[in-house]
Amino acid sequence: MSATTTTSAAITTATAHAATTNASVKSLIAGGLIAAGVAAAATAAVAAAGEAAGISLAVNGTPIPLSGFAVLTAIFSGMGLVLALVLARMARRPRAAFVRTTFVLTALSLVPDVLADASAATKMLLMLTHLVAAAIVIPAIARRLTLS
């Protein structure tokens, strides 16, 4: 009888853990997608404000459309969400690993902007859009990852 009770308790605990994990994954995905949408809109708005202020959005002589800011932000935010999902399953400290990794990736994302064939103001605007997106997406995803 105690073996049955122990087995039943173990199954209940495993089921509760699976439900909590499933809810955590759903929360991570939902929060990440919302953050990606907000960041996409924000980067397009920052680019539009820069353009309205007279900053060119041309790189190598070709203007970047405002929609390009939103689309690329959404794509790379989605990649960040996939990274978070992988780290949630594999890392011992997924939040810390995610934050460290995304800070490095954000810094690396600025390199092409610095090297771009564009005016200094355009380069600064491009870098600002990267930082705006990171400031929105990284905390939104990180707070949904476990500490340990």
Side-chain angles (χ1 to χ4, degrees), residues 133-147:
I136 294 168
V137 175
I138 294 171
I141 292 176
R143 75 174 146 258
R144 288 171 175 80
L145 291 168
T146 58
L147 286 170

Side-chain angles (χ1 to χ4, degrees), residues 26-112:
K26 286 182 181 179
S27 172
L28 179 59
I29 291 171
L33 291 176
I34 290 168
V38 170
T43 57
V46 166
E51 187 175 44
I55 299 173
S56 171
L57 298 180
V59 175
N60 292 329
T62 305
I64 303 169
L66 293 176
S67 61
F69 286 90
V71 169
L72 287 176
T73 299
I75 290 170
F76 284 102
S77 296
M79 291 171 66
L81 179 57
V82 170
L83 172 66
L85 290 166
V86 169
L87 292 172
R89 292 190 56 96
M90 302 185 76
R92 191 168 32 125
R93 296 178 51 217
R95 183 181 296 176
F98 177 77
V99 170
R100 278 193 312 269
T101 303
T102 53
F103 276 10
V104 169
L105 291 173
T106 300
L108 290 173
S109 79
L110 301 176
V111 172

